[in-house]
Amino acid sequence: MKAAVMTMMAALAVATAAAQEPARQTTNPLFPVRTLKPVRTAIAEVVVQTGSIESPAVVDLSPKVSGRLVATSLEDGANVVEGTVVKAGQVIARLDNRDYAARVASAEAGLAAAQATLEDARKEFARTEALLKENTATEQEADRAQAVLKRAEAGIGEAEAALALAKLDLAETEIKAPMDARVAAKHLHPGAMLSPASVVYRLVAMDELRIFFDVPTTRFAKLKPGVTDVAVVVDAYPGEELHLPVFSVHPAANERTRTVRVELRLPNADGKYLPGMYVRGELALDRREGALAIPHECLVPMIGKTIVYEVVDGRAIAREVTLGVRQDALQEILGGLGEGAEVVAAGTHRLADGVTVKVEIDN
């Protein structure tokens, strides 16, 4: 009997111990976590915007005089068509100039006649002055001679102006490119009668294009011309990324959209890009070099603050941190965490301040 009681007591003790073991494990569990250390890196707030490419100058080219269009070619005879590259001052079309050349000849003859009239008037005025001194001419005759001289002098001015205008009209029968550009459209062909309202070509400046993005005014203070970098991808070339600085920030905000226009300059001497193409830009604002950063997944948002868990002597210690700039998955840490800290990156949802953890290492 005594032996049986002893056996039962032993069995009870074993059961009690077995029942108490899970309770101890529940009271002080060991949580598996993965950790990492903060890194020093360049980081910036990135704003993603879509925009478009535009030409700095689009010109509809018309003649300044009327006439029949006789040529739409370069001086070497090459026909001007859509896509033709033209240079500032280059002749790219011609009007029939015979009428204007005749007007120049007529104006030259008019000037010659005016010069002859002036010479006669000068001689007559000199003769009248001499006779007046000899008392053989009257004051009235001298006054008339002087008036004739003044009219002759005025006639020279009119004749010179008429000649200059005729020469200018003759020169305008050659239509010249006002800038380095490409021909975007050719509207008229030889044989057409033109007036100053007739558009022969549309020219588009292409050597350097402009890119525009509309950025929220909340980011205005962080936009720095010549400093802010923009990673640009043109839709037509999805595999290529260009890095361009902000050229300028327009001084007026859009009152309807509350945005400010940002301008970039795109070199395009080879004509690779076209006005009207869409682009995507990532503006790197408030760039920091050598910032202390951790993955955003390490952060644990709390009411009124953000914490991370740092592993110290096998325990998870909650650290309140001050946040800086976020770029994609990286978050800048301004305060609350040391550079060599071991930060929990996976398993934070099960932790509390002070719990025991086991750091798992990926194989």
Side-chain angles (χ1 to χ4, degrees):
M1 181 66 176
K2 185 176 180 179
V5 171
M6 293 297 293
T7 300
M8 292 177 64
M9 292 289 290
L12 181 61
V14 172
T16 302
Q20 290 176 344
E21 182 62 27
R24 283 198 297 269
Q25 290 178 351
T26 303
T27 302
N28 190 20
L30 191 64
F31 294 100
V33 296
R34 288 188 176 89
T35 62
L36 52 77
K37 294 184 181 297
V39 296
R40 291 284 180 183
T41 185
I43 195 170
E45 177 186 357
V46 175
V47 175
V48 179
Q49 297 288 331
T50 57
S52 62
I53 298 176
E54 296 183 16
S55 170
V58 178
V59 174
D60 287 333
L61 192 59
S62 302
K64 292 183 178 180
V65 296
S66 299
R68 188 174 297 281
L69 185 62
V70 296
T72 54
S73 58
L74 304 179
E75 293 176 347
D76 61 2
N79 191 31
V80 177
V81 295
E82 285 82 356
T84 299
V85 177
V86 298
K87 298 295 182 181
Q90 189 174 22
V91 177
I92 57 177
R94 297 169 185 80
L95 276 64
D96 186 346
N97 65 359
R98 289 174 295 179
D99 286 349
Y100 295 98
R103 294 177 192 180
V104 170
S106 176
E108 288 174 339
L111 177 59
Q115 289 171 335
T117 299
L118 175 61
E119 183 64 24
D120 290 343
R122 283 173 176 168
K123 291 178 180 179
E124 180 62 22
F125 178 73
R127 186 182 68 82
T128 304
E129 284 284 292
L131 292 175
L132 182 63
K133 291 178 181 179
E134 297 174 357
N135 294 320
T136 57
T138 64
E139 290 284 348
Q140 187 177 13
E141 291 173 331
D143 290 343
R144 281 198 299 267
Q146 187 176 30
V148 170
L149 176 59
K150 288 181 178 181
R151 285 195 297 271
E153 290 172 342
I156 289 291
E158 292 176 358
E160 289 176 341
L163 178 59
L165 183 59
K167 288 182 176 180
L168 182 61
D169 286 344
L170 177 62
E172 294 296 347
T173 60
E174 292 185 335
I175 300 175
K176 299 179 180 180
M179 59 189 182
D180 292 351
R182 287 179 184 265
V183 177
K186 180 178 180 179
H187 298 292
L188 296 172
H189 298 270
M193 282 298 298
L194 306 186
S195 71
S198 305
V199 177
V200 182
Y201 303 111
R202 169 164 285 193
L203 304 183
V204 179
M206 295 280 287
D207 286 349
E208 185 179 60
L209 300 174
R210 302 191 295 178
I211 298 175
F212 292 105
F213 295 107
D214 292 324
V215 179
T217 52
T218 53
R219 303 293 195 275
F220 173 73
K222 296 180 179 181
L223 294 168
K224 296 178 173 58
V227 176
T228 301
D229 177 76
V230 184
V232 175
V233 175
V234 181
D235 280 0
Y237 306 100
E240 299 180 13
E241 183 175 273
L242 306 171
H243 284 270
L244 303 172
V246 169
F247 179 79
S248 67
V249 180
H250 291 196
N254 187 308
E255 294 181 358
R256 184 175 59 85
T257 62
R258 303 301 176 187
T259 57
V260 63
R261 176 150 284 200
V262 174
E263 179 181 339
L264 315 181
R265 294 294 174 90
L266 177 62
N268 190 44
D270 58 358
K272 180 177 181 179
Y273 306 102
L274 299 177
M277 286 182 172
Y278 282 107
V279 297
R280 179 179 180 273
E282 295 184 355
L283 290 80
L285 308 179
D286 204 10
R287 185 175 180 85
R288 313 282 183 86
E289 299 292 338
L292 186 67
I294 60 175
H296 193 264
E297 63 185 10
C298 298
L299 305 177
V300 180
M302 308 290 284
I303 298 176
K305 63 182 179 180
T306 300
I307 68 168
V308 298
Y309 286 106
E310 179 184 358
V311 176
V312 180
D313 297 331
R315 292 183 178 276
I317 307 301
R319 307 287 194 199
E320 183 178 354
V321 291
T322 303
L323 305 181
V325 172
R326 178 179 177 179
Q327 181 177 357
D328 298 329
L330 278 183
Q331 175 65 59
E332 180 186 20
I333 302 299
L334 298 178
L337 194 65
E339 187 167 349
E342 190 174 7
V343 181
V344 176
T348 57
H349 62 286
R350 296 177 295 177
L351 302 183
D353 188 24
V355 300
T356 304
V357 296
K358 178 184 178 181
V359 177
E360 295 184 346
I361 301 175
D362 293 331
N363 293 330

